[in-house]
């Protein structure tokens, strides 16, 4: 964490950053995945906001997953900040990296991931993982339409969620999520085709982007299981069974992802994930020709089986409404 205007900051308990503001008008920046607290000696008005930094996207990914597992944030956090901003970021990466529509001479080019380094490539793949799992990590997925935070789901709502996956995510946003998921999967495929990642011991890692995501999925399930065993009260909406259902729904979008999930995902060693993240990997790119992406294709690529079930249910509901009107 960095502080501006001589704000006094200190660190306690090795993990919590505390900022003390003795005067007026201070600006404080907190790194991704960093617990923090603010202390003011007098009454104060505090305004906060979110932004994403390309060079910290891997840490941001860890922070979002930890926040989801810990159940600290209400669905409003995801609705206002998380999905829309990340979708804008991946669109910017698409324009600059895949479609070559941002010149290296432009100032905005500096904000693209440094994909010739392993750290920069990890940042790119981290945002791809977040967008593939956008609905999985969104608490609205596990809530009924218009359900307030902490309220109990009724039997009729549970039935609709089970039959048609009708949840608290608006229909339009499901389309946006499908588009971004398709773009993320296409970006992962682009990395897979044109980039060679070599481990510190000189071994080329095949299908690295998809293995990177699979190990995130395995870690997510294990963290969730450990959290449920540790907490005295179960999660109000998302339990381990529902989380696994959403993950298995998402992996069906891509054959390579499905292959690794079925063949490797359930038997992966904990050390494998650490192996993918440890420093010392080298990155070598082949020529990167311009790759134009079609919105319709991206949308089709990102639609999940539960999305199809939802839209079929919506079509049936609208048909019934029209019959009642006529």
């Amino acid at each position: 964490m960095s502080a501006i205007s001589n704000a006094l900051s200190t660190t306690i308990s090795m993990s919590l950053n505390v900022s003390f503001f003795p005067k007026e008008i201070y600006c404080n920046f907190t790194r991704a995945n960093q617990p923090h607290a603010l202390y003011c000696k007098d009454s104060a008005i505090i305004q906060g906001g979110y932004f994403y930094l390309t060079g910290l996207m891997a840490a941001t990914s860890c922070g979002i997953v930890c926040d989801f597992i810990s159940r600290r944030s209400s669905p409003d956090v995801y609705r206002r900040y998380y999905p829309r901003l990340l979708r804008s970021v991946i669109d910017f990466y698409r324009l600059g990296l895949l479609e070559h529509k941002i010149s290296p001479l432009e100032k905005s080019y500096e904000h693209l991931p440094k994909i010739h380094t392993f750290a920069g490539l990890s940042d790119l793949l981290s945002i791809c993982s977040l967008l593939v799992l956008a609905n999985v990590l969104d608490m609205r997925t596990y809530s009924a339409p218009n359900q307030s935070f902490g309220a109990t789901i009724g039997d009729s709502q549970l039935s609709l969620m089970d039959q048609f996956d009708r949840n608290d995510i608006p229909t339009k946003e499901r389309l946006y999520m499908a588009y971004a998921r398709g773009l993320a999967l296409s970006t992962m495929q682009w990395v897979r085709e044109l980039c060679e990642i070599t481990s510190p011991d000189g071994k080329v890692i095949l299908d690295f982007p998809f293995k990177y995501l699979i190990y995130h999925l395995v870690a997510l399930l294990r963290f969730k299981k450990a959290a449920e065993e540790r907490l005295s009260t179960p999660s109000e909406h998302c339990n381990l069974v529902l989380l696994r259902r959403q993950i298995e729904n998402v992996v069906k979008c891509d054959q390579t992802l499905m292959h690794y999930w079925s063949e490797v995902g359930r038997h992966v060693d904990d050390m494998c994930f650490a192996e993918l993240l440890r420093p010392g990997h080298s990155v070598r790119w082949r020529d990167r020709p311009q790759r134009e992406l079609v919105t319709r294709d991206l949308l089709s690529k990102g639609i999940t089986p539960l999305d199809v079930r939802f839209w079929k249910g919506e079509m049936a509901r609208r048909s019934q409404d029209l019959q009642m009107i006529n």
Side-chain angles (χ1 to χ4, degrees):
M1 181 190 69
S2 61
I4 297 179
S5 303
N6 298 320
L8 177 63
S9 63
T10 184
T11 302
I12 61 174
S13 68
M14 297 182 64
S15 61
L16 177 64
N17 279 355
V18 178
S19 296
F20 170 61
F21 297 144
K23 297 181 180 180
E24 298 178 355
I25 311 178
Y26 277 84
C27 183
N28 183 71
F29 292 93
T30 302
R31 287 175 59 91
N33 196 27
Q34 175 61 64
H36 63 282
L38 302 179
Y39 174 78
C40 300
K41 66 175 184 178
D42 298 314
S43 298
I45 297 175
I46 299 175
Q47 179 178 354
Y50 293 80
F51 66 93
Y52 292 109
L53 192 64
T54 293
L56 290 177
M57 200 58 72
T60 295
S61 174
C62 292
I64 290 174
V65 170
C66 290
D67 192 72
F68 171 79
I69 295 296
S70 67
R71 304 179 298 170
R72 284 192 297 262
S73 296
S74 72
D76 287 340
V77 172
Y78 297 92
R79 183 181 296 112
R80 288 179 292 170
Y81 302 115
Y82 159 49
R84 183 177 59 185
L85 279 175
L86 287 180
R87 290 194 293 264
S88 298
V89 172
I90 194 68
D91 255 331
F92 170 68
Y93 292 171
R94 169 183 62 86
L95 291 173
L97 297 175
L98 280 74
E99 299 188 352
H100 299 183
K101 293 182 178 178
I102 300 177
S103 168
L105 300 178
E106 295 184 42
K107 208 166 187 179
S108 59
Y109 191 85
E110 300 176 0
H111 298 286
L112 293 171
K114 306 300 186 289
I115 58 174
H116 290 280
T117 68
F118 183 69
L121 184 63
S122 297
D123 286 324
L124 175 62
L125 294 178
S126 292
I127 189 174
C128 288
S129 296
L130 287 175
L131 289 169
V132 171
L133 300 176
N135 63 307
V136 176
L137 297 173
D138 193 324
M139 287 304 298
R140 294 174 297 169
T141 297
Y142 312 96
S143 302
N146 302 315
Q147 180 184 356
S148 59
F149 188 62
T152 303
I153 303 178
D155 292 340
S156 59
Q157 292 174 316
L158 278 174
S159 177
L160 289 173
M161 291 180 70
D162 184 59
Q163 292 183 55
F164 305 112
D165 197 47
R166 188 178 296 171
N167 53 38
D168 201 26
I169 298 178
T171 302
K172 285 186 177 180
E173 188 160 1
R174 289 186 81 122
L175 285 171
Y176 300 152
M177 285 182 170
Y179 162 78
R181 186 181 299 111
L183 176 53
L185 289 169
S186 296
T187 302
M188 292 166 60
Q189 182 66 34
W190 173 74
V191 174
R192 178 195 184 199
E193 293 175 5
L194 301 178
C195 183
E196 182 180 274
I197 297 96
T198 305
S199 66
D201 57 7
K203 182 179 179 181
V204 175
I205 305 176
L206 300 177
D207 295 332
F208 181 88
F210 293 92
K211 290 180 179 178
Y212 189 84
L213 175 56
I214 285 294
Y215 294 136
H216 273 85
L217 296 180
V218 173
L220 179 59
L221 285 173
R222 291 183 177 177
F223 292 157
K224 180 64 176 178
K225 182 179 179 181
E228 288 195 350
E229 292 173 350
R230 184 176 66 254
L231 296 173
S232 57
T233 57
S235 176
E236 296 175 348
H237 301 302
C238 176
N239 55 38
L240 187 61
V241 174
L242 294 177
L243 177 61
R244 181 179 290 277
R245 177 176 182 251
Q246 290 295 330
I247 288 177
E248 292 181 345
N249 168 58
V250 163
V251 298
K252 293 175 183 176
C253 286
D254 186 272
Q255 290 184 352
T256 304
L257 197 57
M258 186 65 187
H259 164 73
Y260 279 110
W261 178 250
S262 59
E263 298 296 327
V264 182
R266 299 176 185 273
H267 310 288
V268 66
D269 187 350
D270 285 332
M271 294 304 296
C272 293
F273 185 59
E275 183 72 17
L276 287 181
L277 298 182
R278 69 187 178 101
H281 289 73
S282 62
V283 175
R284 184 175 69 87
W285 284 88
R286 304 177 183 89
D287 290 337
R288 294 188 286 119
Q290 184 179 25
R291 179 170 298 188
E292 292 283 349
L293 300 177
V294 180
T295 299
R296 186 189 306 109
D297 295 340
L298 296 176
L299 184 60
S300 176
K301 189 176 184 65
I303 290 177
T304 70
L306 288 181
D307 287 332
V308 174
R309 183 186 299 184
F310 169 78
W311 281 311
K312 284 183 177 179
E314 288 297 288
M315 291 174 62
R317 183 171 65 88
R318 291 174 185 175
S319 177
Q320 291 175 357
D321 291 343
L322 289 175
Q323 290 177 4
M324 292 178 64
I325 293 174
N326 296 331

